[in-house]
Amino acid sequence: DTPLVGIVSISATEANNARYIVGAKAAAKEIGWDVSVIDAAGSADQANAAIQNFAQRGSAAIVDMVFPYSSIGAGLQAAKSANIPVVTWGGGLGSSVAATNGSGGPMVVPVDELMLKAMSGKGSILALTYHTGEVCRNREVELDKALAANPDIKVTKNEVRIPGYFEDGAQYANAWLASHPAGQENLAIWGCWDDPAIGAIGSLRAQGRDDVKVYGVNGNAQALENIKNGFMTATAWQDSYTEGYNMIKLLPEIRKAGADWKPKAVEVPAVLVTKDTIDDFIAKHPDAMK
Amino acid sequence: MSDVSYTRRLSPSTRAALGVFARYGTIIGLLAMILVFSFLSPHAFPTFSNFINVLNQASLAMIIAGGLTMAVIVGELDLSVGYAASLHGVLVTGLIVANHLPIPVAVLIELALGALIGVVNGVIVTKLKVNSVIATLGVGTVLVGLSFAYSAGVPIVSGVPESFLQLALGRWLFGIPNPIIFMALVFGGLWLLVERTAIGQEIQAVGGNPAAARLAGINVDRIKILGFVLSGMCAALTGTLLAARLGSGTTNAADSYLLTAFAAVFLGSATLRDGEFHILGTLIGTLIIVLGFNGLNIFGAPTFSQFVFQGAILIVAVGLASLGRSLAES
Amino acid sequence: MSDVSYTRRLSPSTRAALGVFARYGTIIGLLAMILVFSFLSPHAFPTFSNFINVLNQASLAMIIAGGLTMAVIVGELDLSVGYAASLHGVLVTGLIVANHLPIPVAVLIELALGALIGVVNGVIVTKLKVNSVIATLGVGTVLVGLSFAYSAGVPIVSGVPESFLQLALGRWLFGIPNPIIFMALVFGGLWLLVERTAIGQEIQAVGGNPAAARLAGINVDRIKILGFVLSGMCAALTGTLLAARLGSGTTNAADSYLLTAFAAVFLGSATLRDGEFHILGTLIGTLIIVLGFNGLNIFGAPTFSQFVFQGAILIVAVGLASLGRSLAES
Amino acid sequence: MNPVPTLMAAPPAVPFVAASAVSKSYGGAQALRGASLSVLPGEVHGLVGANGAGKSTLIRILAGLTQPDTGEIAIEGRPVAIASPHAASGLGMSFIHQELAFVPDMTVLENIMLGLPKKTTRLGLVDWAAIQRDVAPIIERVGITAPLDAAAKSLSTAENWLISIARALVWKARLIVMDEPTASLSASECRKLFSIIRGLSASGVAVLYVSHRLDEILDLCGRVTVLRDGRSVAVLDGPGLTRRGLVQAIVGGAVEHLSKSRDTARGEVVLSVRGLRRLPRVTEASFDLHRGEVLGLGGLVGAGRSELARLLYGADRPDAGSMTIEGGPFAPRTPAGAVRAGLGLVPEERRTEGLLLGKSVAFNLSLGNLTPLLASPVLPFISLRKRARLAQATIRDLSIKASSTEQPVGRLSGGNQQKVVIGRWLRSKPEVLILDEPTRGVDIGARGEIHRLIRELAGHGMAVLVISSEPDELPDLCDRVLVMAEGRIVRELAGTDLTRSAIIEASYALTEERVPA
Ligand SMILES: Nc1ncnc2c1ncn2[C@@H]1O[C@H](COP(=O)(O)OP(=O)(O)OP(=O)(O)O)[C@@H](O)[C@H]1O
Ligand SMILES: Nc1ncnc2c1ncn2[C@@H]1O[C@H](COP(=O)(O)OP(=O)(O)OP(=O)(O)O)[C@@H](O)[C@H]1O
Ligand SMILES: [Mg+2]
Ligand SMILES: [Mg+2]
């Protein structure tokens, strides 16, 4: 029997998730494993069920995508009692998790630095946040840290919903733009990931506003496209393909080590992408636009 | 023993006032809301450009709500509209980017597909006799699956031509954003259809009492299917415009319109007519929701208050209208 | 002139077979599904431990669906259950982690709160006379707002005691996972209530014909409120168990139960009785959905097929049942 | 044999229920203007009046379903406020309303016990065995033969009436109010009901009896209150209680009687039916319907006449048989198809099948016949002005009592609602018009008008099929009558053979052969 790696994805609709899965599949092929993906459609309960089901099937390892380890208690318990290692992507390291990467918090730091440099200490920011997501929360913490040194920058924070982040981003942008007319101060819109920012770009374009800089994180294809067209200022590209690839390559090691395995993070650094670097970037990572 | 003889509880003038309130309550509420927000944010809220921006933003939700109104007028619910719109967004970009179809052709194909989804919904409801909640929930779920099957969940992004984006971002008439134009055309068309045509009379009859409509010689099944078809076509238009606005087709981009549209349609039923669904009501219902959201945001109200506002306005508007109505008639 | 004559469409035996099919179709479907999956995954699917596993997973959705059944039996929809369960999950962890309340006290507070939410829903529907779709959508949205107000959307995680997690993860009786026990208690209790008590008679009457129930002197409003209260309490239990299972309280953790519960309740109405909602039917409905999900997972079917399956099973099961019924009666 | 209550010379001191000076308005419509009513213990009291006189409204007030604007109600001399149906039953009253109220999916026994306190076991569960023992004598007395665990929806209208009566008896009500109970009962079922009513009266239970059938009123009631335009205009008893007296009080003047115009020549065959069957209710029906004739379809309730009408109209599909219309083949698959072929139907259940209660009179009148409303022949739009004008004309022609063309039709009284359903077909002029119980629940004034209307339509060349369960109605109205029994057309009556007694005799022909007394 070929070993099976079970992947539980928070949302296969999301581009980075999809790319991680592609990377994982490529690596699995190389090491001769099978891959099976379950979409938990954003529901932690379904994620737990899916992990339990993989344990039931006797899979060799389980990958948890994005659900924090703290919300998959029942799944981890089932996997542990079946001696199946669980690794996370963006779900953190804790409880019985064996390895993690893609902890997207620190990714935002270069984006924040770029944004604050452009504003040179003055202006207004619309921050589109998503508290329920662990990664988004960590990015917000980083933003707050960076902003602490810039007391003259006013921040408006709005919470987006999933699904509905495009529409929410657009509506929040509309309202914020109404009270921040062009030509009076430095303006920026910050998305805790790309999609809400892309929703906001819709509003900017509909209103013909080109005075607002827009920043995202994750570097999904749509964000890269927007950077190429000049509508988005910068994003941090998460190399989720490599993350998925590396993680799967790690799994046989984890299995071999068994009880001796020391849990660890195996991060892949993010790449800051701006108008200036986009062409180089695409040349180097042509599949990032897919 | 206490006095138990009856006395008239409400004077005729009170009743009349309550009747007015029941009919115009939501409109009064809308105006009051506009006044309050104008007072709170005098520079940002009550401006022409803000109004156009809000309307532009709301147009997509409005179109889907207009279509949904047609389904509820014929007495059925259509829970598939959000999922359908998402699927249309994916497909229309796919048709343009991958299959290199001319934009008008792609859009027409979507509209036809929207009509087809409506026919499927309608046939399941009228011929298989499945409750419309379950039928459209089922069809909607299948549509999500189809969207995955087509795109594997990955948004279709690169190569979306600028001319397609202009569908949503352009201002082809008197500088009015296109979505507003589309929305006005949809609402005007639907209003004329329902209120001023013979088919519209049949649509209203089927919604009012399907058994009586059938015996009066109306083909009830066909009218119900028509309601679903119009709903499906509006979903197609919304999905297409959303893809143009975002520059991409994403599997769940339009899912959240379902709730907004529902709320708008039911708010609308509390407007002007006695608890009936109608097109004009839906228009006003959507305005209340989007202007409320916008006003609260501009004022800088915290996130939680927006949810509370949205939930409360629904209950209060519909509740006061029906309470006023039943008191006025008592 | 041609003679247009009719011939009898269905033989009596065909009709009888169709009648059986209409009543037992969903159960036959369930059995067929089990057979197919057993054949596809002979080692993993048809095992006792997998069955317990599936039932354990399904228990939370079942409890919420059981509650929802009470609301639909009295003729109303309750769209607030998913949001309410999420809120309860946040609050119960908050009460335990931040307010250091003993676990039983926290759970009882949630149940009381669930009942209160039910009363609010019920009063809005019966006294303000707001359509239940809009009322419970409104209340649900307000609950989301309250959840944000309480936790700002941040999941409550750290410091959740192990003893609380045991509520969902423990096996206190004969090695059966606790959620299954809770689920069995809820279903047993609701079944007895509806089928065997005097109040149950009133519940059935209100659902079957509210006008007749009212004329018979039944306090229809009170019974409807009771339906909402039971629905609210089941949502509270589900939310609490979910928080225990996840080890955290998250603003939207239980939202997706709404659709599952709906599908289960409507699937259930196609089971055994002629399109009526009932507790036993809901039990079978949830089993179909959850076993389908589990079987497809274990078999390793691609994502899109899971959506297509879920959508199609709804339509097919309910459609065949009602088609069989109407043909059998024709 | 129960004795007929004797006409009492002096009523006993305290009436069981007394309503005085009760007024009630709905929006603009004044339904009651100071009406009074008193019912003595143990008497059978009649309540009569034209459509819209306010009978049902008065009863709804007693039942706690609506609250009066002004007025006073006393039970056994004590003033009370009846806030809800629950309160009404607490006061010892039980109601059988005009629209039958039962829960179709529940069983006979459950429906009998609906809303009544139930015996429970020690565990708090309903003790159905004990309840069944308790109600057995009542079921026997009322004459329910269906199994107690059958679903109520599988029972006939008559049997559901018996359920309501049984419920009242279980509750030991002191007053049972019946709003037009015989409107959908057969003659034999009526006789059974009457004997039950007499039995109730003899055992001290008062009955308030509403009906448009004056013969029944005269037969059953000791005293009769007459309502006209929301006022109680007369209380008749003893020698003053005559048919003539009642009619005068109801109408407020003399009534002219319809004299049948026999001069309409019957034309060629329009609709021809051969061997139509749909089991179990229609076994075999063959007949021809001619242009310009009024053809009656008589028989007992349940004979299958409405089912036959539905077959003609494409609302149901037959098992076998064939039809032609104007010589061409005719096999409608839907009512829409039948309408296109030139049929029209005034259905039996006007509220559920005939009308959109929430829509205006004008809307209801134009339903199914929208072509005349088109603003122009090329555009698909309709003209609301035309609609209002046509509605106004119809309201005038049929003297429909409505405040305006825009009044919701649900707020009209039963008779006026019926006129709206008929009025719908007045303009579109179908070749064949089927009227199913067109005068059920319609007062004598309106009934005369409806009859005149039917003759007039026939006079204009329409072929009319009238279904009626009242043997009195058909001989006056029809040129020819077919009698149906147990799904078959058993007799054709015309000319001098066409009499009330011939219809009754034919209706029972089959039944009596099969069911020995
Ligand atoms: N819910 C209502 N809203 C408005 N008007 C009403 C309502 N119910 C009754 N009416 C009006 O009150 C008047 C009395 O109606 P009611 O039903 O009491 O008459 P009725 O004597 O029972 O007539 P019928 O013999 O036709 O049953 C009518 O004019 C009717 O239009
Ligand atoms: N599906 C059914 N099951 C049982 N009883 C039924 C059913 N349909 C109709 N009935 C009963 O049969 C009678 C009506 O039958 P039908 O309408 O065919 O006869 P009808 O001669 O037209 O009688 P009516 O005078 O009521 O119009 C009513 O008593 C009704 O309650
Ligand atoms: Mg009446
Ligand atoms: Mg009949």
Side-chain angles (χ1 to χ4, degrees), chain C residues 4 7-9 196 201 209 217, chain D residues 86 102 110 126 319 321 329 331:
Chain C
V4 187
T7 47
R8 191 179 191 102
R9 293 132 300 158
R196 290 284 180 271
Q201 288 289 308
N209 183 349
Chain D
H86 194 73
F102 64 97
E110 285 174 329
V126 178
D319 299 335

Side-chain angles (χ1 to χ4, degrees), chain A residues 12 36-39 41 43-46 48-50 52-53 56-57 70-74 77 130-132 137 159 162, chain C residues 44 47 49-50 53 57 148 152-155 157 169 242 245-248 250-252 256-257 293-294 297-298 300 303:
Chain A
S36 175
V37 182
I38 296 176
D39 189 340
S43 153
D45 192 33
Q46 291 227 16
N48 277 288
Q52 287 169 331
N53 289 346
Q56 191 74 37
R57 276 163 81 177
S70 58
S71 73
I72 51 171
Q77 197 191 43
Y130 181 63
H131 289 163
T132 311
R137 242 172 23 248
E159 232 344 70
I162 296 181
Chain C
T47 65
S49 77
N50 187 46
N53 174 27
Q57 287 168 20
F148 267 93
V154 180
V157 180
L169 301 179
L242 181 64
R245 179 181 278 178
L246 301 179
S248 67
T250 308
T251 315
N252 59 2
S256 64
Y257 282 137
F293 182 78
N294 175 270
N297 273 346
I298 287 189
T303 303

Side-chain angles (χ1 to χ4, degrees), chain B residues 129-153:
Chain B
K129 302 193 194 313
V130 176
N131 174 304
S132 65
V133 169
I134 206 74
T136 56
L137 190 63
V139 168
T141 313
V142 170
L143 294 181
V144 174
L146 294 183
S147 176
F148 268 93
Y150 183 80
S151 69

Side-chain angles (χ1 to χ4, degrees), chain D residues 154-157 281 300-307 348 436-437 469:
Chain D
S154 67
L155 267 56
S156 69
T157 315
R281 307 198 76 83
L300 304 177
V301 172
R305 295 160 302 163
S306 296
E307 277 273 340
E348 187 174 9
D436 196 350
E437 308 284 3
S469 301

